[in-house]
Amino acid sequence: DTGVSQNPRHKITKRGQNVTFRCDPISEHNRLYWYRQTLGQGPEFLTYFQNEAQLEKSRLLSDRFSAERPKGSFSTLEIQRTEQGDSAMYLCASSLTRVQETQYFGPGTRLLVL
Amino acid sequence: AQKITQTQPGMFVQEKEAVTLDCTYDTSDPSYGLFWYKQPSSGEMIFLIYQGSYDQQNATEGRYSLNFQKARKSANLVISASQLGDSAMYFCAMREGPSNTGNQFYFGTGTSLTVIP
C-alpha cells in the first residue's frame, strides 16, 4: 500500500495526558499537512511542512500542540496536557509540489479525551 | 466570511439519477484551485476532482464533473448515474494562491449524500 498511513487509528486518553500521532506520507511527496476534524465539520488546517521545514501554523495550533518532520519523511503531531476539547479526528495529508497539488489523505487518528 | 460555503447539509438521490452538490467560494486571489473530496463513513478523505482557476473547461473524472462558474464563484459537483456506494459526505475545498507556494486549504462543512435504491 503506497498511500498515506497514520498510527494509531484510535486513541483514548485521560485529560492531562500527552499523546503523539504519526503520519507516513506517500513516499515521493514533499509536502505534509495536518488537519483536525470535529463531528459535522470539514477539516480545519493545523500546520504544514515542505520537506522538513514547518512553513505555516494555524491559530488553532495552541502551544500544547507541536509537530515535527525531522527528516522530511514521516511526521509526528504531539498534544501535551490534553483537554476534552481536543477530541477529534486528526487527519494527515501529503502532496507533491506541482500544478495541481492534490492532497491525498490518510485514514486519520480518532482521539477521545476522557 | 467563509472561504467555502456548502449550503446543502443533506441530499437524497435515487439510484441511477444525477445529483448536483453546491459549492461557492470566496477569494480575491486570481490563482486558486478547487477540489472535491468524498468521505465515507470509514473516515478517509478520497480525492474526486480538481479545477484550476485558469482552466477553460470544466473538469470531468468518470461520473464526476465540476460545473465551474467563475463569475458566480461556484464550483458545483455533478455526480451522474448515482450508485449506492456514492452515499457519503462530500467536501468542497479551495487552495488559495498558486500551487507552488503551499498555501493552506479551506474546506466547507460538507454535504451528506444518500443514494436511495
Side-chain angles (χ1 to χ4, degrees):
Chain A
D1 185 8
T2 56
V4 178
S5 62
Q6 291 186 247
N7 288 288
R9 295 290 308 277
H10 303 274
K11 179 71 177 178
I12 301 174
T13 191
K14 292 182 179 178
R15 189 176 52 188
Q17 297 294 305
N18 299 343
V19 294
T20 300
F21 309 140
R22 175 177 170 130
C23 171
D24 287 88
I26 294 171
S27 59
E28 66 268 25
H29 284 186
N30 58 341
R31 289 193 177 147
L32 188 149
Y33 299 76
W34 285 100
Y35 292 86
R36 181 172 67 189
Q37 186 179 22
T38 53
L39 203 60
Q41 300 295 317
E44 295 174 298
F45 169 80
L46 293 178
T47 188
Y48 99 93
F49 293 83
Q50 177 152 318
N51 301 312
E52 66 274 9
Q54 188 173 19
L55 296 187
E56 192 169 342
K57 291 194 293 186
S58 164
R59 293 189 307 272
L60 296 173
L61 212 65
S62 76
D63 57 5
R64 296 185 297 105
F65 288 69
S66 62
E68 294 183 343
R69 194 183 183 198
K71 297 182 179 179
S73 56
F74 73 91
S75 175
T76 57
L77 177 69
E78 181 183 16
I79 309 174
Q80 296 182 325
R81 305 181 303 281
T82 53
E83 301 173 356
Q84 288 184 326
D86 297 332
S87 296
M89 174 79 89
Y90 289 84
L91 294 167
C92 174
S94 70
S95 70
L96 183 62
T97 308
R98 59 181 183 188
V99 174
Q100 181 169 316
E101 202 188 340
T102 297
Q103 293 187 10
Y104 294 91
F105 283 79
T109 295
R110 189 173 294 280
L111 173 67
L112 177 60
V113 182
L114 301 176
Chain B
Q2 294 289 328
K3 290 286 187 181
I4 295 288
T5 302
Q6 294 180 255
T7 57
Q8 304 156 315
M11 289 282 286
F12 292 87
V13 64
Q14 203 75 36
E15 193 178 5
K16 301 180 184 178
E17 296 294 311
V19 64
T20 298
L21 306 184
D22 295 342
C23 173
T24 58
Y25 58 93
D26 180 31
T27 182
S28 57
D29 199 310
S31 179
Y32 53 90
L34 297 160
F35 302 77
W36 277 92
Y37 286 87
K38 173 184 178 181
Q39 188 176 43
S41 55
S42 59
E44 188 162 353
M45 299 280 283
I46 302 167
F47 165 72
L48 295 178
I49 195 166
Y50 166 83
Q51 180 85 42
S53 60
Y54 295 118
D55 293 345
Q56 296 295 315
Q57 296 191 347
N58 288 344
T60 60
E61 290 284 351
R63 294 186 300 111
Y64 305 109
S65 60
L66 201 152
N67 183 2
F68 181 45
Q69 298 189 43
K70 198 168 183 177
R72 294 185 178 182
K73 293 188 175 179
S74 74
N76 298 339
L77 176 70
V78 180
I79 306 175
S80 63
S82 297
Q83 303 172 356
L84 295 178
D86 294 335
S87 294
M89 283 291 288
Y90 288 81
F91 290 97
C92 179
M94 176 175 67
R95 181 209 69 238
E96 192 173 39
S99 65
N100 60 356
T101 59
N103 293 286
Q104 71 178 79
F105 277 50
Y106 300 93
F107 283 80
T109 52
T111 295
S112 176
L113 177 67
T114 302
V115 180
I116 304 167

